[in-house]
Amino acid sequence: MPTKDTVTLIDNRTGKEIELDLLKPTSGPMTIDISSLYKELGYFTYDPGFMATASCWSNITYLDGGKGVLEYRGYPIEQLAEESTFLETCYLLLNGELPNKNELAEFEGSINKHCMLHEQLKTFYSGFRRDAHPMATMVGVVGALSAFYHDDEDVHDESDRMDAAHRLIAKMPTMAAWSYRYAMGMPFVQPRNDLGYSENFLHMMFSMPSEEYKVDPIMAKALDVILILHADHEQNASTSTVRLAGSSQANPFAVLSAGIASLWGPAHGGANEAVIQMLTDINESGRPLSEFIDRAKDKEDRFRLMGFGHRVYKNYDPRAKIIREICHEMLENNPVSDPKHQALLDTAMELEKIALEDDYFKSRNLYPNVDFYSGIIFLGMGIPLNMFTVLFALGRTVGWVSQWNEMMGDPKAKIGRPRQLYTGEATRDYKGIDKR
Ligand code: CMC
């Protein structure tokens, strides 16, 4: 990775000069290797929110926020969304190459083999209140899998890591659907190996023992594309959480549970649910939309337009571009029967129009992001609101395990241990309680 290029850093306080290597990525900005900085000059670097810091190297996903580019293993997201399937994309992310027919069949067979849950795991569901948010249930149940697969898992063994990855990808739809079934007081539905990945999830979510349920192929296809779009997104908050938790060589199922917890926040994956909540609040308030736009601009008000803005995409979010088309197509072809839903969709479309034309949003590059449209699509599909972020987690699982596997396979990987800029009290002497 290092090139002959270096940057020279001069310490104006001492006059000392040091050369720092410039690392050249396949694509993206040259990166200064500052790992020797503390040893050489005795300084830390400070970059809250990682605005300009590469936390690791990675061969998996590339994104260029300025140009609106997203690629998995070099393949543009547009091509994968158009031509691939979610499971094929999972294989690609995990293994680095697209599979041939045999490899794909073998991979699909392995995912089918692992999709059932241990009977004992059911008891974890019943420990939750019925009204528990399915993301809370997911944090618990995925973490609980670590108790089922611990002693026989060696995180340094590549084949054990692949086993864990296959298990997680396979069991996630079952665990996700069951978190909803439990909340609704409905019986758990077992997975079916004759169905595709997305079809199987819909079957476990919506079918009833008392009547036949036919998965709508258009809905299954739309879900498959949405899962592809969410499959990985380089070093975002939840993936960085997974890497940091995994860097201590912890159990992968416990590590994934940490990733799910991080994803849940409304600034990250929880935004798809927050978008619909916001639209509902707007409609129920009876206040004009412009009032909410003004609130979003007001620095004294914590209100933000959910589903707008992105840390990295400052032109457009390529995932949002793809999903926007699906969203508009769905709205045109599937009239919604529930007037409340229709009113939410109308408000969403009005908001999209206003924000795209408003100077505040334009000057800050605040475009509708993937969560804005996925929230609307899920609403149109009849997915319950509290399951929206669970679907994000379902898609992102492969990204998390691919990034974890990459890190664990690096013999030079170290435990993650950031430093800090201490701003607390200087050293002081303890005072007995009667002297305070
Ligand atoms: N509504 C109103 N103003 C906003 C918004 C918003 N949604 N997002 C950013 N801004 C403003 C912000 O106030 C700031 O203004 P100023 O420069 O005048 O101080 C400027 O835009 C830059 O914002 P920032 O907070 O510095 O940007 P960030 O990179 O730290 O935050 C974000 C990115 C996604 C957390 C933020 O845009 C946000 O909170 N969006 C709403 C939540 C959301 O939709 N999240 C999903 C992200 S996409 C899915 C995923 O990958 O997880």
Side-chain angles (χ1 to χ4, degrees), residues 294-310:
D294 290 343
R295 281 187 61 195
K297 296 176 187 175
D298 181 357
K299 293 283 156 254
E300 303 303 312
D301 192 329
R302 288 185 67 83
F303 177 79
R304 281 192 164 192
L305 284 190
M306 288 292 127
F308 284 80
H310 198 274

Side-chain angles (χ1 to χ4, degrees), residues 162-176:
M162 277 297 160
D163 262 0
H166 288 206
R167 279 191 171 120
L168 276 158
I169 295 168
K171 294 184 195 307
M172 202 57 96
T174 318
M175 290 188 286

Side-chain angles (χ1 to χ4, degrees), residues 5 23 72 77 82 90 101 146 157 166 172 190 196 228 261 266 268 312 335 371 406 421 427:
D5 287 322
L23 310 180
Y72 297 160
I77 192 68
E82 179 76 32
C90 286
K101 276 190 183 150
S146 57
D157 182 294
H166 288 206
M172 202 57 96
Q190 293 297 337
I228 292 174
H268 191 8
V312 184
D371 285 323
E406 181 177 72
L421 172 67
T427 313

Side-chain angles (χ1 to χ4, degrees), residues 104-264:
L104 183 60
E106 210 178 293
F107 180 65
E108 287 172 344
S110 170
I111 298 301
N112 278 342
K113 190 177 105 188
H114 288 299
C115 60
M116 290 183 71
L117 301 183
H118 194 292
E119 276 297 293
Q120 195 76 32
L121 203 69
K122 284 185 184 167
T123 58
F124 283 86
Y125 285 88
S126 43
F128 284 94
R129 287 168 56 132
R130 284 279 178 201
D131 61 358
H133 193 290
M135 279 299 275
T137 312
M138 290 299 283
V139 171
V141 176
V142 174
L145 275 185
S146 57
F148 292 77
Y149 308 104
H150 186 64
D151 293 338
D152 55 347
E153 291 279 353
D154 176 0
V155 293
H156 299 295
D157 182 294
E158 162 118 50
S159 119
D160 278 8
R161 289 202 302 273
M162 277 297 160
D163 262 0
H166 288 206
R167 279 191 171 120
L168 276 158
I169 295 168
K171 294 184 195 307
M172 202 57 96
T174 318
M175 290 188 286
W178 286 16
S179 65
Y180 167 66
R181 305 286 296 204
Y182 176 76
M184 298 303 289
M186 297 198 292
F188 293 150
V189 176
Q190 293 297 337
R192 266 178 45 189
N193 286 359
D194 59 322
L195 297 176
Y197 193 84
S198 297
E199 284 176 302
N200 198 17
F201 171 73
L202 292 171
H203 152 75
M204 289 187 282
M205 276 284 290
F206 295 121
S207 70
M208 285 294 175
S210 47
E211 60 185 45
E212 203 195 342
Y213 172 78
K214 274 212 156 27
V215 178
D216 176 351
I218 298 174
M219 192 157 150
K221 174 70 192 150
L223 180 59
D224 216 59
V225 173
I226 293 173
L227 294 182
I228 292 174
L229 299 181
H230 286 83
D232 195 40
H233 212 230
E234 54 119 298
Q235 310 312 319
N236 54 83
S238 56
T239 303
S240 300
T241 302
V242 163
R243 278 190 178 254
L244 194 56
S247 76
S248 71
Q249 305 171 20
N251 178 292
F253 300 93
V255 162
L256 257 278
S257 159
I260 295 172
S262 167
L263 183 77
W264 191 6

Side-chain angles (χ1 to χ4, degrees), residues 51 230 233 236-238 263 265-272 274-275 293 295-299 303-314 317 319 360-361 364-367 369-372 392 396:
M51 301 297 285
H230 286 83
H233 212 230
N236 54 83
S238 56
L263 183 77
H268 191 8
N272 54 14
V275 167
I293 304 262
R295 281 187 61 195
K297 296 176 187 175
D298 181 357
K299 293 283 156 254
F303 177 79
R304 281 192 164 192
L305 284 190
M306 288 292 127
F308 284 80
H310 198 274
R311 164 60 62 80
V312 184
Y313 294 122
K314 297 300 175 196
D317 177 342
R319 305 166 301 171
Y360 173 91
F361 292 91
R364 286 169 180 75
N365 301 310
L366 298 172
Y367 302 99
N369 56 44
V370 68
D371 285 323
F372 181 74
F392 194 150
R396 187 54 56 83

